[in-house]
Amino acid sequence: MPIVKPENMNFSDKNLIMIVSGLPGTGKTTLALSAPGVLLIDTDEGLARVNPAHRKDASVCKTYEEILADIKAAEGQYQTIVIDTCGALIEYMKDWAMRTDPKASKNNGGFSLQGYGVIKQEFLRLSAELRKKFNVIFLFHENMTKNGDEGTFYELVVEGSTRTLVYQPADLAAHLFIMNGKRYLGFTPTEQYSAKSAYGIKGLMEVPELKDGEPNEFLTKLFAKVRENLAAESKSLAPQKELYNIALLEAKRICNEVNGPEDVEEAAKAIKAMTHALTSEKESMAMLKARVSELGICWDKAKKAYVYKE
Amino acid sequence: MYTKSKVRITQSLLSAWEYSFKTDEGYDDFIRALNREKKQPTKQMLDGIRFENCLNGVLKGEEIPKNHEWYPVITEMAKELWGAQQQVTLFSECEVDGQVFLLHGVLDYLKAGRIWDCKFSSRYHLNKYLNSDQHPMYLRLVPEARDFTYIISDGKFVYRERYPREIVPPIETNIKYFAQYLHQHGLWKTYCEKWSVNNG
């Protein structure tokens, strides 16, 4: 594999995984269809509620195996897979696990605890596999629950123990809601909803209302912005990373030359005098501290000097 | 109103204070923390220590048997944390309403402008650490860090909660409320006695 320098890294083909969650009727499916080159996996009959002008290709399946087959067939033809909804996908996975893995069923026919382990693993596998070929948008319905004294909490509609896991592969997660007649995506987690901010995408973002004849491209633009931010971040970090690597190598050398209490202060001075970047100074001092401790050296307050521990 | 000497403050003291509003036993636990009384480790804490020791061992080059119950999660975490400095002790001063506080924290892992804290939680739920004082405090201790990640395991899966600096509120706000609370409840003197920088 060729080694790529940060300044030459290209994120234009980086695939993203995003979660969009919201109450029914907030426009999740229409928003998801604004991503580039969409194939909608319609497990929830969401497409029927979309304005025909904005509809895209869709796959309507009856089993998890059919979904996998349609995704396989979509390779090279589509850029984004939208799972509408992911809560329903998990239900398909449960059915699949019960049919294919004996661990997933209880004797009384119910779904077993080990079965949840099976679908969690499968969800992670599927996410990783999808990301190799597509952007992925997981849509979730939400319902409102009471959150102690803090009021309402918008919770994903998905089987309880998988709720936490589904966020893990996602780069971004946003809560879609309507306030004063306007639609917003919230990317920063709050007391009211879960979310995931990254690549400079944070806080609230207004989703403009689609007027007749207007192209539906909100997420296409957002994904382009993410890639732009990634490239800019990588470019600005590149010189710092280079200095950081040099500083750590130098600190390692200095620490290795500490062989007794008499060397410690000089080493600390040398580390402080180095050119530092990112967290190299704090890491170098921690490295020195570890070396000092390894040699059985400590600071003697009375003597105001480093000495061997007695 | 305030003391001229510096007082030490840690995220665990702030957390104990915030927890005191949430449960019945919380207040007693906070008073114990304020008095710097050692807490008997719970089974949950001991499990966490065992997990962290296992992870740190692997990061130092020890091998973990493939049949070990934590093998998949420990190897996944170790891959991400490889090369990080471990247990980085830091201090930093901050002034709130004229009082100088000495912030004190021990970072689990620090690498290339990023901070990680390892958690072992059998019942992890999403955004569990949203209101924790740990990420605002540690990002204040390392101004050059760009994010803080809680890397969590329940022994079967690895979860991450990442807080980029730009979405994290300043720790000074909570320190201000904490100090006000201590004054209002007659606890400021105890705090100064137990947490003075000259008091270890």
Side-chain angles (χ1 to χ4, degrees):
Chain A
M1 283 275 278
I3 293 168
V4 185
K5 293 271 184 203
E7 59 273 28
N8 300 327
M9 284 176 185
N10 178 4
F11 296 96
S12 61
D13 57 353
K14 179 186 162 60
N15 288 325
L16 299 168
I17 299 184
M18 181 176 176
I19 285 177
V20 177
S21 59
L23 292 172
T26 44
K28 294 183 291 293
T29 308
T30 305
L31 176 70
L33 295 176
S34 71
V38 167
L39 172 67
L40 182 86
I41 307 293
D42 190 7
T43 58
D44 205 35
E45 296 174 12
L47 197 60
R49 297 185 288 271
V50 171
N51 178 339
H54 303 306
R55 286 183 189 155
K56 300 267 176 80
D57 294 358
S59 143
V60 182
C61 300
K62 291 207 163 54
T63 63
Y64 182 56
E65 289 92 330
E66 283 179 21
I67 293 175
L68 293 181
D70 280 2
I71 289 170
K72 181 89 189 135
E75 282 177 21
Q77 298 186 58
Y78 297 91
Q79 292 165 267
T80 305
I81 296 288
V82 174
I83 308 284
D84 184 7
T85 62
C86 197
L89 175 79
I90 299 289
E91 292 304 315
Y92 278 80
M93 280 183 179
K94 277 169 79 173
D95 164 67
W96 161 81
M98 283 179 84
R99 283 186 288 106
T100 58
D101 194 326
K103 286 198 303 286
S105 304
K106 282 194 214 165
N107 289 339
N108 65 9
F111 200 66
S112 71
L113 205 59
Q114 289 98 315
Y116 287 113
V118 172
I119 57 170
K120 283 178 183 176
Q121 290 289 7
E122 178 58 16
F123 180 79
L124 293 179
R125 187 207 65 78
L126 176 69
S127 301
E129 203 54 41
L130 283 172
R131 189 202 281 276
K132 289 181 193 161
K133 307 276 167 53
F134 310 98
N135 299 305
V136 189
I137 300 173
F138 291 122
L139 298 184
F140 283 92
H141 287 311
E142 285 177 340
N143 57 25
M144 289 193 281
T145 59
K146 275 275 168 211
N147 188 15
D149 298 334
E150 279 135 9
T152 303
F153 186 77
Y154 294 89
E155 197 166 64
L156 301 190
V157 177
V158 61
E159 207 297 313
S161 70
T162 48
R163 190 170 295 132
T164 296
L165 194 85
V166 292
Y167 271 84
Q168 293 309 308
D171 299 288
L172 290 167
H175 164 68
L176 180 65
F177 63 102
I178 299 170
M179 188 170 62
N180 299 330
K182 289 183 173 176
R183 283 197 306 159
Y184 294 92
L185 281 171
F187 286 94
T188 300
T190 70
E191 289 290 341
Q192 281 72 47
Y193 55 82
S194 299
K196 206 166 180 179
S197 160
Y199 312 126
I201 307 297
K202 58 178 178 168
L204 290 184
M205 205 174 263
E206 189 184 337
V207 183
E209 197 184 330
L210 272 174
K211 296 193 180 81
D212 282 347
E214 232 175 26
N216 185 18
E217 53 187 16
F218 185 88
L219 289 183
T220 301
K221 286 180 179 168
L222 181 76
F223 286 5
K225 178 73 185 154
V226 166
R227 291 186 186 105
E228 198 181 292
N229 290 354
L230 261 169
E233 187 190 42
S234 173
K235 202 175 168 190
S236 76
L237 274 178
Q240 290 190 65
K241 278 204 174 147
E242 207 169 323
L243 282 176
Y244 166 86
N245 289 334
I246 294 169
L248 279 199
L249 275 179
E250 180 61 5
K252 221 169 259 177
R253 187 193 62 76
I254 292 169
C255 291
N256 285 338
E257 283 176 4
V258 172
N259 293 307
E262 65 285 0
D263 300 328
V264 181
E265 283 189 70
E266 275 310 305
K269 271 188 212 162
I271 287 174
K272 284 219 172 289
M274 281 162 31
T275 304
H276 286 285
L278 301 173
T279 42
S280 69
E281 185 169 358
K282 288 186 173 75
E283 288 179 62
S284 302
M285 292 308 282
M287 217 185 275
L288 177 62
K289 199 178 153 206
R291 175 70 178 157
V292 164
S293 155
E294 182 189 302
L295 293 170
I297 297 169
C298 65
W299 174 254
D300 186 316
K301 272 187 189 171
K303 289 182 187 159
K304 290 189 176 165
Y306 283 96
V307 295
Y308 280 113
K309 278 181 203 160
E310 284 172 11
Chain B
M1 188 177 174
Y2 286 101
T3 172
K4 277 184 186 164
S5 64
K6 274 181 245 171
V7 271
R8 192 187 298 252
I9 193 158
T10 63
Q11 66 87 19
S12 46
L13 179 64
L14 281 175
S15 298
W17 169 61
E18 278 164 15
Y19 199 65
S20 72
F21 302 107
K22 292 180 182 162
T23 64
D24 292 340
E25 326 82 73
Y27 184 77
D28 292 341
D29 283 347
F30 166 58
I31 295 299
R32 270 194 287 275
L34 192 69
N35 282 298
R36 302 186 76 170
E37 287 171 23
K38 286 257 182 283
K39 197 178 168 185
Q40 279 297 317
T42 59
K43 184 186 175 293
Q44 208 180 345
M45 286 158 83
L46 293 172
D47 282 348
I49 293 167
R50 194 162 68 91
F51 185 84
E52 219 170 303
N53 286 344
C54 182
L55 174 61
N56 289 340
V58 170
L59 287 170
K60 282 179 182 141
E62 287 169 20
E63 279 201 18
I64 177 167
K66 282 197 171 164
N67 59 358
H68 192 289
E69 57 172 326
W70 294 332
Y71 176 82
V73 288
I74 292 279
T75 45
E76 182 182 339
M77 289 163 99
K79 220 165 139 185
E80 182 168 333
L81 299 168
W82 192 257
Q85 285 303 310
Q86 299 173 28
Q87 300 297 303
V88 180
T89 303
L90 294 172
F91 296 93
S92 176
E93 284 185 12
C94 91
E95 198 178 312
V96 177
D97 289 341
Q99 173 65 48
V100 179
F101 292 88
L102 184 69
L103 312 186
H104 172 205
V106 183
L107 319 182
D108 278 353
Y109 307 100
L110 177 66
K111 181 172 76 168
R114 304 188 64 197
I115 306 167
W116 286 263
D117 194 80
C118 172
K119 305 276 187 204
F120 184 74
S121 172
S122 55
R123 276 186 294 181
Y124 172 68
H125 61 84
L126 202 60
N127 291 337
K128 184 172 179 178
Y129 303 103
L130 178 66
N131 293 321
S132 169
D133 289 301
Q134 196 167 4
H135 53 283
M137 173 80 97
Y138 286 12
L139 284 168
R140 172 69 172 70
L141 282 166
V142 191
E144 60 274 42
R146 59 183 193 281
D147 62 26
F148 181 108
T149 302
Y150 296 95
I151 185 160
I152 309 132
S153 182
D154 55 9
K156 293 190 175 73
F157 294 94
V158 178
Y159 308 93
R160 290 168 188 83
E161 260 186 55
R162 178 179 167 268
Y163 291 91
R165 178 176 290 280
E166 60 269 24
I167 68 164
V168 177
I171 191 66
E172 284 85 347
T173 314
N174 270 8
I175 293 177
K176 184 186 171 90
Y177 294 141
F178 172 70
Q180 283 174 354
Y181 175 90
L182 295 183
H183 280 292
Q184 285 161 7
H185 291 80
L187 294 167
W188 180 256
K189 201 170 156 233
T190 310
Y191 174 52
C192 290
E193 278 168 16
K194 300 290 179 182
W195 291 80
S196 156
V197 169
N198 304 322
N199 193 17

